Amino acid sequence: MRTQLAGALPDALRKLNPASMWRNPVMLIVEIGAVLTTALAIAEPSFFAWAIVGWLWLTVIFANLAEAVAEGRGKAQAATLRAAKQDTMARKVSGEVVPATELKQGDSVVVEAGEIIPGDGDVVEGIATVDESAITGESAPVIRESGGDRSAVTGGTRVLSDRIVVRITQEPGESFVDRMIALVEGANRQKTPNEIALNILLAALTIIFLVATATMQPLAIFSKSVNPGVPDSIALTADGVTGIVLISLIVCLIPTTIGALLSAIGIAGMDRLVQRNVLAMSGRAVEAAGDVTTLLLDKTGTITLGNRQAGAFVPVAGVPVMELARAAQLSSLADETPEGRSIVVHAKTAYGLREREPGELDKATWVPFTAQTRMSGVDLDGREVRKGAATAVMKWVRDHGGHPTAEVGEIVDGISASGGTPLVVAEKGRVLGVIHLKDVVKEGMRERFDEMRRMGIRTVMITGDNPLTAKAIAEEAGVDDFLAEATPEDKLALIRKEQEGGRLVAMTGDGTNDAPALAQSDVGVAMNTGTSAAKEAGNMVDLDSNPTKLIEIVEIGKQLLITRGALTTFSIANDIAKYFAIIPAMFAAVYPGLDALNIMRLAGPQSAILSAVVFNALVIVALIPLALRGVRYRPASASKLLSRNLRVYGLGGIVVPFVGIKIIDLLISGIV
């Protein structure tokens, strides 16, 4: 942390420019006060005056330092991204070679093995492996191909094999990398609605204290004219010390602590997302994540592992299980899907069936799976074996003169009800049994959903499975509700229904069919592997394409809101202690009754005022690490979080200044 502070110091000094300071009205007032006290100290120099001047300037610098450190944390990542965004030449389909910076939306370019993709776009022809490590940090190459949901490519990534044609989808300067660089450097960070509202509140408090302080000197002069015997206090003398003391009072009573840290808190929240490889298009999205009350999650790959595994072979009456196992294995030998390979492995491990030798299958005719037939299999030595969806396989059996019994439907329904996926296995004219594919729920998901529930968040699982399977998986995972056999229209309708009830909704998606729902949701997280339409529709992009990260995003958003609230509570609370330090020191001579408020028994008026100013500056530096790291988040209801904040940061904000100011007073009382 010490290195970060030292490295950010030059930027903090540059931010002293009033053109930068005006965005933070609280700290602008402090800077104006520092300028005025400097002029007063030059006119009537004293140790007290110059000490106040020094610490007021340090207060402004420390405030700028907090923001500079937060921005500086993104500079290393921005440098890495700039290295990925090299000066690339692009070869258009027409054969013309142009700089990548001249490509426009709609241009089509050819990219071959070893070349850099010149801009963001969609693959419209070909298939290739692409190295995206410069963007995502993931070293394993990924497949990008035309059509489907894995056609989007990012400028600055490298094609490792084959040849693709890419249609550019972004104008110059608006690419994914350009937006990431602007984000991590804070150049495009817009204040969120809550942040703007808090800034307005802080500005209002500042104005109130300015007016209140400005009336003190005229009222004191009037009091002395009415009662000339009243002794002068430190605040009511005619020399330059009066102006310095009044400025010190303003600085100590306005909410300088949260004013100094507010911007850093917002930048740090965005930075925590970037560190997790999530690009937020706006700070509003991060803040909305903290207020989310409904979470829509895809089942496959998010709640479950995604690769269903064969768990059991269930034969129908009269069929030996070994016969079913042999048929299931035979029909799956050419099936390269994870499910197909798991069937072969299960037959081998559970029933001792070896894989066939290559020569044994020379005369086999393999029947591939298609979306139309919804089954696959093999024809070998006069046998016809098929496996697939229950309705499709039973229709095939009927077409070949067979008569499936009601027992098959009962087995299929039982497997579906348990959360599994049934695959019916049949040989020409008769059903042999059913393969039970288990959709495995990821470890720890129930605990995570319990945490969401404690946070007041309702979780909804979205799946294309039938209602029986969806219900079983939902119960095992511990989600609150589910939407089965979901279509894009169903997702959109569900989001709108939730929002009509006053809830904020978050969801993930990667396909073009997810785009309407992503655009409608308050927090739409698009997968980087998804289509350009999905990434444009969402307000966040997950570079790792990990759907479970949505839960982390919500936690980061809540941590941002809690941190802002905690430090605001602390800032306003510690003004109370500074009030007890300064007010008695300023007016006790005029109004002896105020001496009862001097409960800290500080050494003297000047020592009390200087101690408060010093503490006011040092507490900003002390809180910078907390503002950047964020207040530790614990899943709990809003009322529990509020009561905890009041206990820890409200009470702490009152006690800590009393202790700190007293210690500083003991250290400087012999000097002032």
Side-chain angles (χ1 to χ4, degrees), residues 24-34 206 210 247 250-251 254:
N24 190 337
V26 176
M27 298 317 300
L28 178 62
I29 293 297
V30 179
E31 185 175 37
I32 293 172
T206 301
L210 274 172
I247 291 171
I250 294 171
V251 170
I254 64 177

Side-chain angles (χ1 to χ4, degrees), residues 278-365:
V278 177
L279 171 62
M281 304 305 177
S282 69
R284 182 188 296 265
V286 186
E287 191 172 89
D291 287 329
V292 161
T293 53
T294 302
L295 213 56
L296 305 187
L297 299 163
D298 277 331
K299 182 202 72 159
T300 305
T302 303
I303 295 173
T304 64
L305 293 175
N307 295 334
R308 294 169 296 179
Q309 304 291 309
F313 296 142
V314 185
V316 298
V319 176
V321 69
M322 288 296 292
E323 182 181 355
L324 171 60
R326 289 191 184 95
Q329 185 190 60
L330 180 62
S331 64
S332 303
L333 289 175
D335 189 345
E336 291 301 321
T337 64
E339 292 87 351
R341 290 195 295 270
S342 77
I343 293 170
V344 174
V345 171
H346 183 69
K348 182 179 179 180
T349 56
Y351 299 96
L353 297 179
R354 62 176 179 82
E355 295 184 34
R356 307 301 176 97
E357 297 295 333
E360 296 181 52
L361 304 173
D362 287 346
K363 296 181 181 180
T365 301

Side-chain angles (χ1 to χ4, degrees), residues 316 390 394 403-414 422 424 431-434:
V316 298
M394 286 193 284
H403 300 283
T405 64
E407 181 189 4
V408 179
E410 293 174 1
I411 296 172
V412 168
D413 290 342
V424 175
V431 174
L432 301 179
V434 184

Side-chain angles (χ1 to χ4, degrees), residues 83-106:
K85 188 177 180 293
Q86 24 185 306
D87 295 330
T88 306
M89 300 302 290
R91 178 158 47 96
K92 293 186 176 181
V93 173
S94 62
E96 181 185 3
V97 178
V98 299
T101 53
E102 295 183 9
L103 291 174
K104 296 181 179 179
Q105 189 174 7

Side-chain angles (χ1 to χ4, degrees), residues 162-291:
D162 304 293
R163 171 188 181 275
I164 53 176
V165 176
V166 177
R167 180 182 294 122
I168 302 299
T169 57
Q170 297 290 342
E171 295 291 349
E174 298 178 0
S175 72
F176 200 66
V177 174
D178 289 322
R179 283 184 288 171
M180 281 198 69
I181 291 172
L183 172 71
V184 299
E185 289 187 330
N188 282 354
R189 194 187 85 87
Q190 295 181 339
K191 292 183 185 295
T192 62
N194 284 349
E195 193 174 349
I196 293 171
L198 185 53
N199 264 316
I200 293 172
L201 173 63
L202 298 181
L205 290 174
T206 301
I207 293 171
I208 290 169
F209 281 117
L210 274 172
V211 173
T213 306
T215 62
M216 287 184 178
Q217 183 71 356
L219 288 173
I221 293 172
F222 173 77
S223 298
K224 191 167 180 64
S225 66
V226 173
N227 188 3
V230 173
D232 288 338
S233 73
I234 188 172
L236 308 179
T237 57
D239 56 22
V241 173
T242 299
I244 292 175
V245 169
L246 292 177
I247 291 171
S248 300
L249 177 64
I250 294 171
V251 170
C252 288
L253 294 188
I254 64 177
T256 50
T257 306
I258 186 60
L261 299 173
L262 186 58
S263 182
I265 293 169
I267 295 172
M270 300 283 280
D271 182 63
R272 282 193 289 276
L273 274 182
V274 173
Q275 289 174 2
R276 287 166 175 78
N277 267 3
V278 177
L279 171 62
M281 304 305 177
S282 69
R284 182 188 296 265
V286 186
E287 191 172 89
D291 287 329

Side-chain angles (χ1 to χ4, degrees), residues 308-647:
R308 294 169 296 179
Q309 304 291 309
F313 296 142
V314 185
V316 298
V319 176
V321 69
M322 288 296 292
E323 182 181 355
L324 171 60
R326 289 191 184 95
Q329 185 190 60
L330 180 62
S331 64
S332 303
L333 289 175
D335 189 345
E336 291 301 321
T337 64
E339 292 87 351
R341 290 195 295 270
S342 77
I343 293 170
V344 174
V345 171
H346 183 69
K348 182 179 179 180
T349 56
Y351 299 96
L353 297 179
R354 62 176 179 82
E355 295 184 34
R356 307 301 176 97
E357 297 295 333
E360 296 181 52
L361 304 173
D362 287 346
K363 296 181 181 180
T365 301
W366 302 104
V367 180
F369 177 88
T370 67
Q372 289 74 31
T373 62
R374 294 193 298 154
M375 60 183 179
S376 61
V378 62
D379 297 338
L380 176 65
D381 298 332
R383 297 178 64 192
E384 296 179 22
V385 181
R386 299 290 185 271
K387 77 171 192 300
T391 53
V393 174
M394 286 193 284
K395 180 180 182 300
W396 179 80
V397 169
R398 293 189 188 95
D399 291 345
H400 286 76
H403 300 283
T405 64
E407 181 189 4
V408 179
E410 293 174 1
I411 296 172
V412 168
D413 290 342
I415 292 174
S416 296
S418 69
T421 300
L423 292 181
V424 175
V425 181
E427 194 167 346
K428 185 178 179 180
R430 67 187 183 120
V431 174
L432 301 179
V434 184
I435 302 170
H436 182 175
L437 292 179
K438 294 183 177 179
D439 209 352
V440 182
V441 174
K442 290 182 178 179
E443 187 176 354
M445 291 307 295
R446 175 173 284 276
E447 289 75 15
R448 299 205 73 173
F449 290 135
D450 287 342
E451 288 183 6
M452 296 289 110
R453 206 168 289 111
R454 287 196 295 272
M455 293 156 52
I457 295 176
R458 178 171 172 266
T459 52
V460 181
M461 182 185 77
I462 299 177
T463 177
D465 290 341
N466 63 67
L468 283 176
T469 301
K471 183 176 185 293
I473 293 292
E475 290 176 351
E476 183 180 353
V479 296
D480 297 311
D481 201 355
F482 65 90
L483 178 66
E485 298 177 342
T487 65
E489 293 77 14
D490 293 335
K491 295 178 186 178
L492 192 59
L494 176 61
I495 292 172
R496 286 174 174 166
K497 180 182 177 182
E498 292 288 327
Q499 290 173 333
E500 286 172 1
R503 303 180 183 92
L504 266 64
V505 180
M507 74 160 288
T508 61
D510 59 1
T512 301
N513 61 348
D514 290 324
L518 286 170
Q520 180 67 36
S521 58
D522 301 285
V523 180
V525 184
M527 301 295 102
N528 189 43
T529 55
T531 61
S532 296
K535 289 194 278 190
E536 288 297 322
N539 49 24
M540 291 188 188
V541 177
D542 177 18
L543 302 182
D544 295 331
S545 300
N546 177 9
T548 61
K549 199 177 289 184
L550 179 57
I551 298 174
E552 294 181 43
I553 291 170
V554 170
E555 291 176 348
I556 290 172
K558 286 192 173 295
Q559 186 183 37
L560 170 66
L561 296 178
I562 290 169
T563 301
R564 187 187 297 156
L567 293 184
T568 300
T569 302
F570 183 90
S571 177
I572 294 175
N574 72 25
D575 288 339
I576 297 173
K578 288 180 281 187
Y579 172 91
F580 279 96
I582 292 183
I583 297 298
M586 290 176 62
F587 297 104
V590 179
Y591 305 106
L594 288 177
D595 191 56
L597 297 178
N598 187 16
I599 58 178
M600 286 186 275
R601 296 300 161 190
L602 303 179
Q606 290 191 352
S607 175
I609 293 167
L610 182 56
S611 297
V613 172
V614 171
F615 175 84
N616 194 61
L618 293 180
V619 75
I620 294 173
V621 179
L623 291 175
I624 288 177
L626 182 61
L628 299 181
R629 185 180 64 251
V631 173
R632 184 179 176 184
Y633 173 68
R634 295 183 180 89
S637 64
S639 59
K640 288 184 178 179
L641 290 173
L642 177 60
S643 63
R644 178 178 176 272
N645 272 356
L646 291 176
R647 286 197 314 271

Side-chain angles (χ1 to χ4, degrees), residues 18-40:
S20 300
M21 294 295 297
W22 73 269
R23 297 184 183 88
N24 190 337
V26 176
M27 298 317 300
L28 178 62
I29 293 297
V30 179
E31 185 175 37
I32 293 172
V35 171
L36 293 175
T37 54
T38 302
L40 292 172

